[in-house]
Amino acid sequence: VTLDHATGTSTAMDVPQLPKTWRYVTPANGPRADGSVELHVQRVPGGQFSSAVVRKTSPGDIVRLGAPMGDQLTLPAGEGRDLVLVAGGTGLAPLAAVIDQISHQWQNTGSGPQVELFHGARLPWNLYDHERLTALAGNPWLAYHPVVSYDPTYHGPRGPVGTAAAGHRPSAAGSRTARERRRQARFDRVAQTDVTLCRQDDLSGLR
């Protein structure tokens, strides 16, 4: 799939298995030289469109995309304000695109926003981008916090992802690393930080 789009914009999508049943999706990457896009679609029980995409599409199928639209999740080029990004389920997609843009900014300029990303899921295996985000969090500008709401055996943060983000504090002051102290400073500096929340069902009710 190729698309000329800006980070954070959405596009209507139509698949041959369910023709003329358009649904809005948001690419999970920033613009690429080859125009390719990554789309996150999770099957919703009883959802015709999501089931058709997940279970019936195959390589070589012709997928139609509409013109990109919307600017609520876009990040202006060169934006310097720190970010707290909170996502539930595939609501991660537009925020992953923002992180992709920021990653390129850091690579190209050596500077950019500091980012705290909270991604919530019902169960640990629903944290579908966990390995990539964990690796990306090796960069000093990104802190990644996976949150699980329905597994009492999970050893990380548990509960609604928004609650986990609001209540997050780094480790005790005496044992904090320099990086954790910088994170705490960002949370204490809320007026200088942009907070973006995106749930799975915020993506235009994809079913």
Short mmCIF file of all heavy atoms in Angstrom, two decimals, residues 5-10 26-32 38 40 70-87 91-107 111-117 129 132-133 136 141-142 194-198:
data_model
loop_
_atom_site.label_atom_id
_atom_site.label_comp_id
_atom_site.label_asym_id
_atom_site.label_seq_id
_atom_site.Cartn_x
_atom_site.Cartn_y
_atom_site.Cartn_z
N HIS A 5 1.01 11.01 2.61
CA HIS A 5 0.26 11.49 3.77
C HIS A 5 1.20 12.21 4.73
O HIS A 5 2.42 12.11 4.63
CB HIS A 5 -0.40 10.32 4.49
CG HIS A 5 0.57 9.47 5.27
ND1 HIS A 5 1.50 8.66 4.66
CD2 HIS A 5 0.75 9.31 6.61
CE1 HIS A 5 2.22 8.03 5.58
NE2 HIS A 5 1.79 8.41 6.77
N ALA A 6 0.61 12.94 5.67
CA ALA A 6 1.35 13.56 6.76
C ALA A 6 1.15 12.73 8.01
O ALA A 6 0.14 12.05 8.17
CB ALA A 6 0.87 15.00 6.99
N THR A 7 2.12 12.79 8.91
CA THR A 7 2.02 12.05 10.17
C THR A 7 0.74 12.41 10.92
O THR A 7 0.43 13.58 11.10
CB THR A 7 3.24 12.37 11.06
OG1 THR A 7 4.42 11.95 10.38
CG2 THR A 7 3.14 11.66 12.40
N GLY A 8 0.00 11.38 11.35
CA GLY A 8 -1.19 11.60 12.16
C GLY A 8 -2.48 11.78 11.39
O GLY A 8 -3.54 11.87 12.00
N THR A 9 -2.42 11.83 10.06
CA THR A 9 -3.65 11.96 9.28
C THR A 9 -4.30 10.59 9.10
O THR A 9 -3.66 9.55 9.22
CB THR A 9 -3.37 12.58 7.91
OG1 THR A 9 -2.35 11.81 7.23
CG2 THR A 9 -2.89 14.01 8.04
N SER A 10 -5.59 10.58 8.81
CA SER A 10 -6.35 9.35 8.58
C SER A 10 -6.78 9.26 7.13
O SER A 10 -6.80 10.26 6.40
CB SER A 10 -7.59 9.31 9.49
OG SER A 10 -7.23 9.34 10.85
N THR A 26 -5.61 4.94 10.36
CA THR A 26 -4.54 5.92 10.49
C THR A 26 -3.20 5.21 10.35
O THR A 26 -2.93 4.26 11.09
CB THR A 26 -4.59 6.61 11.87
OG1 THR A 26 -5.88 7.21 12.05
CG2 THR A 26 -3.51 7.69 11.98
N PRO A 27 -2.39 5.60 9.37
CA PRO A 27 -1.08 4.97 9.21
C PRO A 27 -0.25 5.03 10.50
O PRO A 27 -0.31 6.02 11.24
CB PRO A 27 -0.43 5.78 8.09
CG PRO A 27 -1.59 6.29 7.29
CD PRO A 27 -2.65 6.59 8.32
N ALA A 28 0.52 3.97 10.73
CA ALA A 28 1.34 3.88 11.93
C ALA A 28 2.78 4.30 11.66
O ALA A 28 3.67 3.96 12.43
CB ALA A 28 1.30 2.46 12.47
N ASN A 29 3.00 5.01 10.58
CA ASN A 29 4.35 5.50 10.26
C ASN A 29 4.24 6.89 9.66
O ASN A 29 3.19 7.28 9.13
CB ASN A 29 5.05 4.56 9.28
CG ASN A 29 4.32 4.44 7.95
OD1 ASN A 29 3.35 3.67 7.84
ND2 ASN A 29 4.77 5.19 6.94
N GLY A 30 5.35 7.63 9.73
CA GLY A 30 5.42 8.91 9.07
C GLY A 30 5.63 8.71 7.57
O GLY A 30 5.76 7.58 7.09
N PRO A 31 5.66 9.79 6.81
CA PRO A 31 5.87 9.69 5.36
C PRO A 31 7.19 8.99 5.03
O PRO A 31 8.20 9.21 5.70
CB PRO A 31 5.90 11.16 4.92
CG PRO A 31 5.17 11.90 5.98
CD PRO A 31 5.48 11.18 7.26
N ARG A 32 7.16 8.13 4.02
CA ARG A 32 8.34 7.42 3.55
C ARG A 32 8.60 7.77 2.10
O ARG A 32 7.67 8.11 1.36
CB ARG A 32 8.15 5.91 3.68
CG ARG A 32 8.03 5.42 5.12
CD ARG A 32 7.66 3.95 5.17
NE ARG A 32 7.61 3.44 6.54
CZ ARG A 32 7.09 2.27 6.88
NH1 ARG A 32 6.55 1.48 5.95
NH2 ARG A 32 7.09 1.88 8.15
N GLU A 38 2.11 1.57 6.98
CA GLU A 38 1.84 0.45 7.88
C GLU A 38 0.51 0.73 8.55
O GLU A 38 0.29 1.81 9.12
CB GLU A 38 2.96 0.34 8.92
CG GLU A 38 2.73 -0.70 9.99
CD GLU A 38 3.83 -0.68 11.04
OE1 GLU A 38 4.97 -0.30 10.71
OE2 GLU A 38 3.53 -1.04 12.20
N HIS A 40 -2.50 -0.71 11.32
CA HIS A 40 -2.79 -1.62 12.42
C HIS A 40 -4.30 -1.87 12.46
O HIS A 40 -5.07 -0.94 12.73
CB HIS A 40 -2.34 -1.01 13.75
CG HIS A 40 -0.87 -0.79 13.85
ND1 HIS A 40 -0.28 -0.22 14.97
CD2 HIS A 40 0.14 -1.10 13.00
CE1 HIS A 40 1.03 -0.17 14.77
NE2 HIS A 40 1.30 -0.68 13.59
N GLY A 70 -7.57 15.27 8.30
CA GLY A 70 -7.46 15.46 9.74
C GLY A 70 -6.11 15.97 10.17
O GLY A 70 -5.09 15.71 9.52
N ASP A 71 -6.10 16.74 11.27
CA ASP A 71 -4.83 17.28 11.77
C ASP A 71 -4.74 17.23 13.30
O ASP A 71 -3.83 17.79 13.89
CB ASP A 71 -4.63 18.72 11.29
CG ASP A 71 -5.74 19.66 11.74
OD1 ASP A 71 -6.63 19.23 12.52
OD2 ASP A 71 -5.73 20.83 11.33
N GLN A 72 -5.68 16.52 13.96
CA GLN A 72 -5.70 16.51 15.41
C GLN A 72 -4.51 15.76 16.01
O GLN A 72 -4.11 16.02 17.15
CB GLN A 72 -7.00 15.88 15.91
CG GLN A 72 -8.24 16.68 15.56
CD GLN A 72 -8.20 18.09 16.15
OE1 GLN A 72 -8.03 18.25 17.35
NE2 GLN A 72 -8.34 19.10 15.31
N LEU A 73 -3.93 14.83 15.26
CA LEU A 73 -2.82 14.03 15.77
C LEU A 73 -1.52 14.31 15.04
O LEU A 73 -0.56 13.55 15.16
CB LEU A 73 -3.17 12.53 15.67
CG LEU A 73 -4.34 12.07 16.54
CD1 LEU A 73 -4.71 10.63 16.23
CD2 LEU A 73 -4.01 12.22 18.02
N THR A 74 -1.50 15.39 14.27
CA THR A 74 -0.27 15.72 13.55
C THR A 74 0.71 16.45 14.47
O THR A 74 0.32 17.07 15.46
CB THR A 74 -0.56 16.60 12.32
OG1 THR A 74 -1.23 17.80 12.75
CG2 THR A 74 -1.45 15.87 11.33
N LEU A 75 1.98 16.35 14.13
CA LEU A 75 3.04 17.00 14.91
C LEU A 75 3.78 17.96 13.99
O LEU A 75 4.38 17.52 13.01
CB LEU A 75 4.00 15.96 15.46
CG LEU A 75 5.15 16.48 16.33
CD1 LEU A 75 4.59 17.01 17.65
CD2 LEU A 75 6.17 15.38 16.61
N PRO A 76 3.72 19.26 14.25
CA PRO A 76 4.41 20.22 13.39
C PRO A 76 5.90 19.91 13.31
O PRO A 76 6.52 19.49 14.29
CB PRO A 76 4.17 21.57 14.09
CG PRO A 76 2.95 21.36 14.91
CD PRO A 76 3.00 19.92 15.36
N ALA A 77 6.47 20.09 12.12
CA ALA A 77 7.90 19.85 11.93
C ALA A 77 8.71 20.71 12.89
O ALA A 77 8.43 21.90 13.07
CB ALA A 77 8.30 20.14 10.48
N GLY A 78 9.71 20.10 13.52
CA GLY A 78 10.58 20.85 14.42
C GLY A 78 9.97 21.12 15.78
O GLY A 78 10.53 21.87 16.57
N GLU A 79 8.80 20.51 16.06
CA GLU A 79 8.15 20.72 17.37
C GLU A 79 9.10 20.31 18.49
O GLU A 79 9.68 19.24 18.48
CB GLU A 79 6.87 19.88 17.44
CG GLU A 79 6.16 19.92 18.77
CD GLU A 79 5.65 21.30 19.12
OE1 GLU A 79 4.86 21.86 18.36
OE2 GLU A 79 6.09 21.82 20.17
N GLY A 80 9.25 21.19 19.49
CA GLY A 80 10.20 20.92 20.55
C GLY A 80 9.60 20.58 21.90
O GLY A 80 10.32 20.21 22.82
N ARG A 81 8.27 20.72 22.04
CA ARG A 81 7.64 20.43 23.33
C ARG A 81 7.69 18.94 23.61
O ARG A 81 7.49 18.11 22.72
CB ARG A 81 6.19 20.92 23.33
CG ARG A 81 6.06 22.42 23.34
CD ARG A 81 4.61 22.83 23.06
NE ARG A 81 3.70 22.33 24.08
CZ ARG A 81 3.38 23.00 25.19
NH1 ARG A 81 3.92 24.18 25.42
NH2 ARG A 81 2.51 22.50 26.05
N ASP A 82 7.95 18.60 24.87
CA ASP A 82 7.97 17.19 25.26
C ASP A 82 6.56 16.62 25.15
O ASP A 82 5.56 17.34 25.22
CB ASP A 82 8.50 17.04 26.67
CG ASP A 82 9.98 17.39 26.78
OD1 ASP A 82 10.65 17.40 25.72
OD2 ASP A 82 10.45 17.66 27.90
N LEU A 83 6.47 15.28 25.01
CA LEU A 83 5.20 14.62 24.76
C LEU A 83 4.96 13.48 25.74
O LEU A 83 5.87 12.71 26.05
CB LEU A 83 5.16 14.06 23.34
CG LEU A 83 5.31 15.04 22.18
CD1 LEU A 83 5.41 14.27 20.87
CD2 LEU A 83 4.13 15.99 22.13
N VAL A 84 3.72 13.36 26.20
CA VAL A 84 3.24 12.17 26.88
C VAL A 84 2.16 11.59 25.97
O VAL A 84 1.14 12.23 25.72
CB VAL A 84 2.67 12.48 28.28
CG1 VAL A 84 2.07 11.22 28.89
CG2 VAL A 84 3.76 13.05 29.19
N LEU A 85 2.39 10.37 25.46
CA LEU A 85 1.48 9.72 24.52
C LEU A 85 0.84 8.53 25.22
O LEU A 85 1.54 7.67 25.76
CB LEU A 85 2.24 9.26 23.28
CG LEU A 85 3.06 10.33 22.54
CD1 LEU A 85 3.79 9.71 21.35
CD2 LEU A 85 2.16 11.48 22.08
N VAL A 86 -0.50 8.46 25.19
CA VAL A 86 -1.24 7.41 25.88
C VAL A 86 -2.15 6.72 24.87
O VAL A 86 -3.02 7.37 24.28
CB VAL A 86 -2.06 7.98 27.04
CG1 VAL A 86 -2.75 6.85 27.81
CG2 VAL A 86 -1.19 8.80 27.98
N ALA A 87 -1.95 5.42 24.66
CA ALA A 87 -2.70 4.69 23.64
C ALA A 87 -3.29 3.42 24.22
O ALA A 87 -2.67 2.75 25.05
CB ALA A 87 -1.80 4.34 22.46
N GLY A 91 -5.15 2.00 19.04
CA GLY A 91 -5.00 3.45 19.13
C GLY A 91 -3.53 3.83 19.13
O GLY A 91 -3.19 5.01 19.00
N LEU A 92 -2.66 2.83 19.24
CA LEU A 92 -1.22 3.06 19.15
C LEU A 92 -0.82 3.57 17.77
O LEU A 92 0.18 4.30 17.65
CB LEU A 92 -0.47 1.76 19.45
CG LEU A 92 1.05 1.77 19.28
CD1 LEU A 92 1.70 2.70 20.31
CD2 LEU A 92 1.61 0.36 19.41
N ALA A 93 -1.55 3.21 16.73
CA ALA A 93 -1.12 3.48 15.35
C ALA A 93 -0.73 4.94 15.09
O ALA A 93 0.39 5.21 14.66
CB ALA A 93 -2.18 3.01 14.36
N PRO A 94 -1.61 5.91 15.33
CA PRO A 94 -1.21 7.29 15.03
C PRO A 94 -0.09 7.79 15.92
O PRO A 94 0.72 8.62 15.49
CB PRO A 94 -2.50 8.09 15.26
CG PRO A 94 -3.32 7.24 16.15
CD PRO A 94 -3.01 5.83 15.79
N LEU A 95 -0.01 7.26 17.14
CA LEU A 95 1.07 7.69 18.03
C LEU A 95 2.40 7.06 17.62
O LEU A 95 3.46 7.65 17.79
CB LEU A 95 0.71 7.35 19.48
CG LEU A 95 -0.63 7.92 19.96
CD1 LEU A 95 -0.78 7.70 21.46
CD2 LEU A 95 -0.76 9.40 19.62
N ALA A 96 2.34 5.84 17.06
CA ALA A 96 3.54 5.23 16.50
C ALA A 96 4.07 6.06 15.34
O ALA A 96 5.28 6.17 15.14
CB ALA A 96 3.24 3.80 16.04
N ALA A 97 3.16 6.65 14.57
CA ALA A 97 3.59 7.52 13.47
C ALA A 97 4.29 8.77 14.01
O ALA A 97 5.28 9.23 13.44
CB ALA A 97 2.38 7.92 12.62
N VAL A 98 3.76 9.32 15.09
CA VAL A 98 4.39 10.48 15.73
C VAL A 98 5.80 10.12 16.21
O VAL A 98 6.77 10.86 16.01
CB VAL A 98 3.53 11.01 16.89
CG1 VAL A 98 4.29 12.05 17.71
CG2 VAL A 98 2.23 11.60 16.35
N ILE A 99 5.93 8.94 16.83
CA ILE A 99 7.24 8.49 17.31
C ILE A 99 8.19 8.29 16.14
O ILE A 99 9.37 8.61 16.23
CB ILE A 99 7.07 7.20 18.13
CG1 ILE A 99 6.39 7.53 19.46
CG2 ILE A 99 8.42 6.53 18.38
CD1 ILE A 99 6.02 6.32 20.28
N ASP A 100 7.67 7.77 15.03
CA ASP A 100 8.49 7.59 13.83
C ASP A 100 9.03 8.93 13.35
O ASP A 100 10.22 9.07 13.01
CB ASP A 100 7.64 6.93 12.73
CG ASP A 100 8.43 6.54 11.51
OD1 ASP A 100 9.59 6.08 11.66
OD2 ASP A 100 7.91 6.68 10.39
N GLN A 101 8.18 9.95 13.34
CA GLN A 101 8.61 11.28 12.92
C GLN A 101 9.66 11.84 13.87
O GLN A 101 10.67 12.42 13.43
CB GLN A 101 7.41 12.23 12.86
CG GLN A 101 7.78 13.67 12.48
CD GLN A 101 6.56 14.57 12.41
OE1 GLN A 101 5.46 14.12 12.14
NE2 GLN A 101 6.75 15.86 12.65
N ILE A 102 9.44 11.67 15.17
CA ILE A 102 10.40 12.18 16.15
C ILE A 102 11.73 11.45 16.05
O ILE A 102 12.81 12.05 16.18
CB ILE A 102 9.81 12.06 17.57
CG1 ILE A 102 8.62 13.02 17.72
CG2 ILE A 102 10.87 12.37 18.63
CD1 ILE A 102 7.86 12.85 19.00
N SER A 103 11.68 10.13 15.81
CA SER A 103 12.91 9.36 15.63
C SER A 103 13.75 9.90 14.49
O SER A 103 14.97 10.07 14.61
CB SER A 103 12.57 7.89 15.39
OG SER A 103 13.74 7.13 15.17
N HIS A 104 13.10 10.22 13.37
CA HIS A 104 13.82 10.80 12.23
C HIS A 104 14.36 12.18 12.57
O HIS A 104 15.46 12.55 12.14
CB HIS A 104 12.90 10.88 11.01
CG HIS A 104 12.71 9.56 10.32
ND1 HIS A 104 11.69 8.70 10.61
CD2 HIS A 104 13.44 8.95 9.35
CE1 HIS A 104 11.78 7.62 9.85
NE2 HIS A 104 12.84 7.75 9.08
N GLN A 105 13.60 12.95 13.36
CA GLN A 105 14.07 14.27 13.77
C GLN A 105 15.36 14.16 14.58
O GLN A 105 16.32 14.91 14.36
CB GLN A 105 12.99 14.99 14.57
CG GLN A 105 13.38 16.40 15.02
CD GLN A 105 12.27 17.09 15.79
OE1 GLN A 105 11.09 16.73 15.66
NE2 GLN A 105 12.63 18.08 16.60
N TRP A 106 15.38 13.22 15.53
CA TRP A 106 16.58 13.03 16.34
C TRP A 106 17.76 12.55 15.48
O TRP A 106 18.89 13.00 15.65
CB TRP A 106 16.31 12.01 17.45
CG TRP A 106 15.71 12.63 18.68
CD1 TRP A 106 14.39 12.71 19.01
CD2 TRP A 106 16.43 13.26 19.74
NE1 TRP A 106 14.23 13.35 20.21
CE2 TRP A 106 15.47 13.69 20.69
CE3 TRP A 106 17.78 13.49 20.00
CZ2 TRP A 106 15.82 14.36 21.86
CZ3 TRP A 106 18.12 14.15 21.18
CH2 TRP A 106 17.16 14.57 22.09
N GLN A 107 17.48 11.65 14.54
CA GLN A 107 18.55 11.14 13.68
C GLN A 107 19.13 12.25 12.80
O GLN A 107 20.34 12.30 12.56
CB GLN A 107 18.02 10.01 12.80
CG GLN A 107 17.68 8.74 13.56
CD GLN A 107 17.00 7.71 12.68
OE1 GLN A 107 17.11 7.74 11.44
NE2 GLN A 107 16.27 6.79 13.29
N SER A 111 18.47 16.48 17.96
CA SER A 111 17.63 17.05 19.02
C SER A 111 16.17 16.80 18.69
O SER A 111 15.81 16.46 17.56
CB SER A 111 17.89 18.56 19.17
OG SER A 111 17.49 19.24 17.99
N GLY A 112 15.32 16.99 19.70
CA GLY A 112 13.88 16.79 19.50
C GLY A 112 13.19 16.63 20.84
O GLY A 112 13.81 16.74 21.90
N PRO A 113 11.90 16.34 20.83
CA PRO A 113 11.16 16.20 22.08
C PRO A 113 11.55 14.94 22.85
O PRO A 113 11.98 13.94 22.25
CB PRO A 113 9.69 16.09 21.61
CG PRO A 113 9.69 16.53 20.18
CD PRO A 113 11.04 16.22 19.64
N GLN A 114 11.41 14.99 24.16
CA GLN A 114 11.45 13.80 24.99
C GLN A 114 10.04 13.21 25.00
O GLN A 114 9.05 13.94 25.04
CB GLN A 114 11.89 14.15 26.41
CG GLN A 114 13.30 14.74 26.50
CD GLN A 114 14.36 13.67 26.28
OE1 GLN A 114 14.23 12.55 26.75
NE2 GLN A 114 15.41 14.02 25.55
N VAL A 115 9.93 11.88 24.95
CA VAL A 115 8.62 11.25 24.81
C VAL A 115 8.42 10.18 25.88
O VAL A 115 9.31 9.35 26.12
CB VAL A 115 8.48 10.58 23.42
CG1 VAL A 115 7.11 9.92 23.28
CG2 VAL A 115 8.68 11.61 22.31
N GLU A 116 7.26 10.21 26.52
CA GLU A 116 6.80 9.14 27.41
C GLU A 116 5.63 8.47 26.71
O GLU A 116 4.59 9.11 26.47
CB GLU A 116 6.34 9.70 28.76
CG GLU A 116 7.41 10.39 29.57
CD GLU A 116 8.13 9.42 30.52
OE1 GLU A 116 7.71 8.25 30.62
OE2 GLU A 116 9.11 9.87 31.15
N LEU A 117 5.75 7.19 26.37
CA LEU A 117 4.69 6.45 25.70
C LEU A 117 4.10 5.39 26.63
O LEU A 117 4.83 4.54 27.14
CB LEU A 117 5.22 5.78 24.43
CG LEU A 117 4.26 4.78 23.76
CD1 LEU A 117 3.02 5.50 23.23
CD2 LEU A 117 4.96 4.01 22.65
N ASP A 129 3.08 -4.53 19.58
CA ASP A 129 4.30 -3.88 19.08
C ASP A 129 5.36 -3.79 20.18
O ASP A 129 6.27 -2.96 20.11
CB ASP A 129 3.96 -2.48 18.56
CG ASP A 129 4.84 -2.07 17.37
OD1 ASP A 129 5.52 -2.94 16.81
OD2 ASP A 129 4.85 -0.88 17.03
N ARG A 132 9.33 -4.15 19.28
CA ARG A 132 9.89 -3.01 18.55
C ARG A 132 9.98 -1.78 19.44
O ARG A 132 11.00 -1.06 19.44
CB ARG A 132 9.04 -2.69 17.32
CG ARG A 132 9.62 -1.61 16.43
CD ARG A 132 8.68 -1.26 15.29
NE ARG A 132 7.52 -0.54 15.75
CZ ARG A 132 7.47 0.78 15.90
NH1 ARG A 132 8.54 1.53 15.65
NH2 ARG A 132 6.37 1.38 16.32
N LEU A 133 8.95 -1.53 20.23
CA LEU A 133 8.95 -0.36 21.10
C LEU A 133 9.99 -0.49 22.21
O LEU A 133 10.63 0.49 22.60
CB LEU A 133 7.57 -0.13 21.69
CG LEU A 133 6.48 0.29 20.69
CD1 LEU A 133 5.12 0.28 21.35
CD2 LEU A 133 6.80 1.65 20.08
N LEU A 136 13.22 0.36 20.62
CA LEU A 136 13.29 1.80 20.33
C LEU A 136 13.51 2.60 21.60
O LEU A 136 14.15 3.67 21.57
CB LEU A 136 12.00 2.24 19.63
CG LEU A 136 11.99 3.62 18.98
CD1 LEU A 136 13.07 3.72 17.90
CD2 LEU A 136 10.62 3.90 18.37
N TRP A 141 15.69 9.49 24.28
CA TRP A 141 14.56 10.41 24.19
C TRP A 141 13.22 9.73 24.39
O TRP A 141 12.18 10.40 24.49
CB TRP A 141 14.56 11.13 22.83
CG TRP A 141 14.60 10.21 21.64
CD1 TRP A 141 15.72 9.80 20.97
CD2 TRP A 141 13.49 9.61 20.98
NE1 TRP A 141 15.36 8.95 19.94
CE2 TRP A 141 14.00 8.83 19.92
CE3 TRP A 141 12.11 9.65 21.17
CZ2 TRP A 141 13.19 8.10 19.05
CZ3 TRP A 141 11.30 8.92 20.32
CH2 TRP A 141 11.83 8.17 19.28
N LEU A 142 13.18 8.38 24.45
CA LEU A 142 11.90 7.66 24.54
C LEU A 142 11.86 6.76 25.77
O LEU A 142 12.77 5.97 26.02
CB LEU A 142 11.68 6.80 23.30
CG LEU A 142 10.43 5.90 23.32
CD1 LEU A 142 9.15 6.76 23.38
CD2 LEU A 142 10.40 4.98 22.11
N ASP A 194 2.97 18.37 25.96
CA ASP A 194 1.73 18.05 25.29
C ASP A 194 1.35 16.62 25.61
O ASP A 194 2.19 15.71 25.55
CB ASP A 194 1.87 18.21 23.77
CG ASP A 194 1.94 19.67 23.36
OD1 ASP A 194 1.43 20.51 24.10
OD2 ASP A 194 2.51 19.96 22.30
N VAL A 195 0.08 16.40 25.96
CA VAL A 195 -0.41 15.06 26.27
C VAL A 195 -1.44 14.66 25.21
O VAL A 195 -2.38 15.40 24.93
CB VAL A 195 -1.07 15.01 27.66
CG1 VAL A 195 -1.58 13.61 27.98
CG2 VAL A 195 -0.09 15.48 28.73
N THR A 196 -1.24 13.49 24.58
CA THR A 196 -2.14 12.99 23.55
C THR A 196 -2.64 11.61 23.95
O THR A 196 -1.85 10.74 24.29
CB THR A 196 -1.43 12.91 22.19
OG1 THR A 196 -0.97 14.20 21.81
CG2 THR A 196 -2.37 12.38 21.12
N LEU A 197 -3.97 11.41 23.90
CA LEU A 197 -4.57 10.13 24.22
C LEU A 197 -5.32 9.61 23.00
O LEU A 197 -6.01 10.38 22.32
CB LEU A 197 -5.54 10.24 25.40
CG LEU A 197 -4.96 10.69 26.74
CD1 LEU A 197 -5.08 12.20 26.87
CD2 LEU A 197 -5.66 10.00 27.89
N CYS A 198 -5.18 8.31 22.74
CA CYS A 198 -5.87 7.72 21.59
C CYS A 198 -6.27 6.29 21.92
O CYS A 198 -5.41 5.42 22.06
CB CYS A 198 -4.98 7.76 20.35
SG CYS A 198 -5.88 7.38 18.84
#
